[in-house]
Amino acid sequence: RMGGGIYSWGNITLSHNIIKDNTASYYPSGSSGYGGGIRAQSGSDTTIRNNIFFGNTSVDIDGAISLDSSPTIEYNSIIGNSAINTAALTLLVTTVFNSNTVTGNSATDSSQTRTIRLGTWTVYKGTINNNNIFGNTTDYELWNKNSEGTNDVNAENNWWGTAIETEIEDKIYHWVDDSA
């Protein structure tokens, strides 16, 4: 099912919780399961703050958090979650993703795996600032799917597990990797 631990429809405030050891599996109809910890199909007033997402699993994408909204996600620990492609979460549209720790997450697919995926069918225009994003078992820590000509992604002052610019570049999939 979608949302192994929590499935929400509508605006929510989720704070000071431990969301642990949940699994998002396939629907009986065969559609994919998203969000091992939480699947939220909600509005722009959603806030996810001061939580721990640990040990959650998805049989498809978003081991910890799957959102169809533009929430504020701050001060969370997203640790040790897993999925086939996107180990931790997908950020859509104008999500504010600041001051989180994302580490120890893993993706199991043999193709391009990522810890955090930006946009898919939408253009990501949010902020990704002051986070610790490191030590995940994926090809890329940050995977930017925005197309050429869209706004730049604001991902400043994050710790990527290194201060070496070429190593940081290798952790981010973006225009340099695919100019389309």
Side-chain angles (χ1 to χ4, degrees):
R1 294 178 280 151
M2 292 180 152
I6 299 169
Y7 182 84
S8 170
W9 192 277
N11 293 321
I12 62 168
T13 298
L14 182 69
S15 64
H16 298 93
N17 295 284
I18 298 173
I19 297 93
K20 181 178 183 284
D21 295 333
N22 299 288
T23 300
S25 59
Y26 289 106
Y27 272 156
S29 65
S31 63
S32 299
Y34 303 135
I38 182 173
R39 169 75 168 149
Q41 294 178 308
S42 55
S44 59
D45 290 333
T46 292
T47 301
I48 299 173
R49 184 175 287 135
N50 294 310
N51 298 287
I52 299 171
F53 292 87
F54 177 77
N56 299 291
T57 303
S58 173
V59 298
D60 194 0
I61 60 172
D62 305 332
I65 301 170
S66 183
L67 306 165
D68 283 347
S69 62
S70 301
T72 297
I73 304 172
E74 297 177 315
Y75 309 108
N76 297 285
S77 295
I78 303 168
I79 303 169
N81 301 284
S82 65
I84 293 173
N85 285 315
T86 306
L89 68 151
T90 297
L91 303 175
L92 300 173
V93 196
T94 56
T95 305
V96 173
F97 189 77
N98 296 331
S99 303
N100 299 284
T101 296
V102 183
T103 190
N105 300 284
S106 62
T108 59
D109 197 351
S110 60
S111 62
Q112 293 177 333
T113 58
R114 55 262 179 185
T115 303
I116 299 172
R117 178 176 64 157
L118 304 180
T120 48
W121 61 90
T122 61
V123 175
Y124 180 78
K125 297 181 272 188
T127 60
I128 304 166
N129 299 147
N130 305 308
N131 299 286
N132 298 307
I133 306 169
F134 68 97
N136 298 288
T137 307
T138 57
D139 296 320
Y140 298 98
E141 297 286 11
L142 186 63
W143 195 69
N144 180 5
K145 191 62 175 166
N146 287 351
S147 60
E148 180 184 10
T150 58
N151 295 340
D152 290 339
V153 172
N154 180 339
E156 298 178 345
N157 302 314
N158 295 298
W159 173 246
W160 303 99
T162 182
I164 300 169
E165 189 173 336
T166 56
E167 291 179 11
I168 294 169
E169 178 66 37
D170 289 343
K171 295 174 181 285
I172 301 171
Y173 181 92
H174 57 121
W175 188 85
V176 173
D177 302 292
D178 181 356
S179 62

